[in-house]
Amino acid sequence: MHEPFTLLVSVYEGDRPEYLRRALRSAVDEQTVRPDQVVIVRDGPVRDELARCLDELCRRSPVPVTYVPLPDNLGLGPALDEGLAVSWFDVVARMDADDVAMPHRFEVELPLIADADIVGGGLLEFVTDTDDIVGQRVPPTDPGQIQRYARMHDPFNHPTVIYRRRAVLAAGGYGALRLMEDYALFARMLAGGARAVNVAEPLVYYRVGAEAFKRRGGTGLLRSELRLQNQFRRERFTTLSEYLRNVLVRGGYRLVPWWFRRAVYRPLVAHYSHGFDAGRVWGGRPPEASTERLDAELAATTSPGPGVPDPREWADPEMSAAGFWREQRPAGR
């Protein structure tokens, strides 16, 4: 018998109703183990179409929904902190508003959280169709690896994690380090002795837009990166040499041209996809690494599209966490 748990989702103006419906359907209706509460935080005003979608989802949900409408857009970290404040249960599962959970996600993670404070998993990247995989992120699974990775990368794929609310609050919650709030939180949790578990198995399909590589850089993200690294150094989470390495490598990654980030990413896609045993996910049919499809989408979008860009993709500098560096081996908006 598993502990009861809350599903925590934050929604903002830039989210699309059709993606949100698919995300909640996958994380609630289609799960082999359903959450006992859904918390939806509306992070600021939204357009009428999205407001109607939220109202419909709250009314038709097969499990109780706690709806938290925030009058202003606070950003992902503060919005999630507001959601944690109204969660009924100690175990909380995160879900982004445009991803797709695999049906067995919570069935896999809940037994592990019984002896842990945070549990994460692998994920598969897609652009428009979950049958068309363009990338894979496999997190470090050895406890020592998780600790080492945390000093240079976020060792957890945020859209896959479940954690204990008390451990998150003991670490100070998400806070307001925009675009880096999940990494900062998880680092504080690890520094405070949180028990961490990762499974290599992909549990979430993670949506990446055609602008993803362009948004992984820029001066805004660089500023957040430097704030994060300065915080790590002040708290002695990293050594001086680790700090200098991170500023050079992670900071430099934000400044290189987007086409270079794509060039680095393409061979990684091929490497991970060819080495991935997809039998459990695709019923024996291996996926194809659709780098050509992604290239075509990137070539067709030379300028940002309409609407509000998704800052979650900005917070994904090296395919997140351990995905860029694989010894064994995805924020929020």
Side-chain angles (χ1 to χ4, degrees), residues 3-10 24 27-28 31 33-40 80 83-84 87 89-96 101 105-107 109-110 113 117-119 157-165 168 174 204:
E3 291 184 63
F5 71 103
T6 296
L7 178 70
L8 175 58
V9 182
S10 176
L24 286 179
V28 179
Q31 284 294 308
V33 179
R34 287 180 174 179
D36 299 275
Q37 177 200 21
V38 176
V39 172
I40 301 176
L80 293 178
L84 287 170
S87 297
F89 307 109
D90 187 45
V91 175
V92 178
R94 274 285 292 119
M95 183 71 187
D96 282 343
R105 175 190 167 185
F106 301 136
E107 183 180 355
E109 292 180 321
L110 285 170
I113 198 66
D117 297 304
I118 181 169
V119 175
N157 290 315
H158 190 204
T160 73
V161 300
I162 65 174
Y163 43 52
R164 293 198 173 275
R165 179 174 175 268
V168 171
Y174 279 92
V204 170

Side-chain angles (χ1 to χ4, degrees), residues 15 44 62-63 69 94 144 161 181 202 214 243 280 282 287 305 320:
D15 287 317
V63 301
R94 274 285 292 119
V161 300
E181 50 273 294
K214 298 179 183 179
Y243 167 81
R280 288 191 63 180
W282 287 274
S320 174

Side-chain angles (χ1 to χ4, degrees), residues 2 53 74-75 86-87 100 104 113 132 149 155 165 175 180 193 197 210 222 240 252-253 272 279 287-288 320:
H2 69 83
C53 174
L74 303 180
V86 299
S87 297
V100 179
H104 59 286
I113 198 66
D132 193 3
Y149 271 90
R165 179 174 175 268
M180 295 284 177
V197 175
L222 176 62
L240 178 59
Y253 186 87
Y272 294 150
E288 297 179 358
S320 174

Side-chain angles (χ1 to χ4, degrees), residues 8-324:
L8 175 58
V9 182
S10 176
V11 179
Y12 83 125
E13 167 63 17
D15 287 317
R16 295 173 57 168
E18 64 271 27
Y19 292 169
L20 177 60
R21 289 189 183 93
R22 182 73 186 94
L24 286 179
R25 187 167 69 248
S26 72
V28 179
D29 304 68
E30 298 173 356
Q31 284 294 308
T32 56
V33 179
R34 287 180 174 179
D36 299 275
Q37 177 200 21
V38 176
V39 172
I40 301 176
V41 181
R42 191 201 70 195
D43 188 13
V46 297
R47 61 195 181 280
D48 290 344
E49 179 188 20
L50 186 54
R52 289 193 297 270
C53 174
L54 287 166
D55 179 66
E56 172 193 337
L57 291 170
C58 291
R59 286 187 291 103
R60 297 186 178 183
S61 172
V63 301
V65 175
T66 302
Y67 182 55
V68 184
L70 302 179
D72 301 304
N73 179 263
L74 303 180
L76 181 60
L80 293 178
D81 284 335
E82 293 288 337
L84 287 170
V86 299
S87 297
W88 295 344
F89 307 109
D90 187 45
V91 175
V92 178
R94 274 285 292 119
M95 183 71 187
D96 282 343
D98 58 353
D99 295 336
V100 179
M102 296 183 186
H104 59 286
R105 175 190 167 185
F106 301 136
E107 183 180 355
V108 170
E109 292 180 321
L110 285 170
L112 299 174
I113 198 66
D115 297 309
D117 297 304
I118 181 169
V119 175
L123 54 77
L124 299 174
E125 294 183 333
F126 74 103
V127 178
T128 57
D129 189 338
T130 55
D131 288 330
D132 193 3
I133 301 303
V134 300
Q136 177 196 359
R137 304 185 198 171
V138 183
T141 55
D142 177 80
Q145 285 183 340
I146 292 174
Q147 291 286 343
R148 289 194 301 273
Y149 271 90
R151 287 169 172 77
M152 186 173 184
H153 310 288
D154 186 344
F156 302 100
N157 290 315
H158 190 204
T160 73
V161 300
I162 65 174
Y163 43 52
R164 293 198 173 275
R165 179 174 175 268
R166 64 174 180 266
V168 171
L169 297 181
Y174 279 92
L177 183 58
R178 201 170 182 91
L179 309 176
M180 295 284 177
E181 50 273 294
D182 55 324
Y183 187 8
L185 168 62
F186 300 153
R188 291 195 303 272
M189 290 176 69
L190 291 173
R195 300 165 298 168
V197 175
N198 264 329
V199 294
E201 178 182 359
L203 299 175
V204 170
Y205 294 102
Y206 177 79
R207 190 183 301 273
V208 292
E211 290 288 311
F213 299 103
K214 298 179 183 179
R215 294 174 186 164
R216 284 176 177 138
T219 56
L221 190 52
L222 176 62
R223 285 193 294 269
S224 289
E225 181 69 65
L226 294 177
R227 286 182 59 198
L228 177 70
Q229 297 305 326
N230 288 332
Q231 176 181 312
F232 283 174
R233 185 70 193 111
R234 285 195 307 271
E235 297 172 354
R236 298 177 182 253
F237 184 69
T238 55
T239 65
L240 178 59
S241 61
E242 289 169 337
Y243 167 81
L244 295 173
R245 175 201 62 190
N246 291 352
V247 169
L248 177 64
V249 176
R250 292 179 59 92
Y253 186 87
R254 315 299 182 183
L255 298 179
V256 299
W258 70 268
W259 51 264
F260 181 81
R261 289 192 289 271
R262 181 185 63 173
V264 170
Y265 185 66
R266 288 188 60 191
L268 291 170
V269 169
H271 173 73
Y272 294 150
S273 296
H274 289 291
F276 175 51
D277 178 8
R280 288 191 63 180
V281 181
W282 287 274
R285 180 176 63 85
E288 297 179 358
S290 303
T291 55
E292 295 83 2
R293 167 75 170 279
L294 194 56
D295 278 348
E297 297 234 10
L298 285 163
T301 52
T302 56
S303 61
V308 180
D310 184 355
R312 186 190 62 181
E313 291 178 337
W314 302 353
D316 189 18
E318 55 287 296
M319 283 61 74
S320 174
F324 190 70

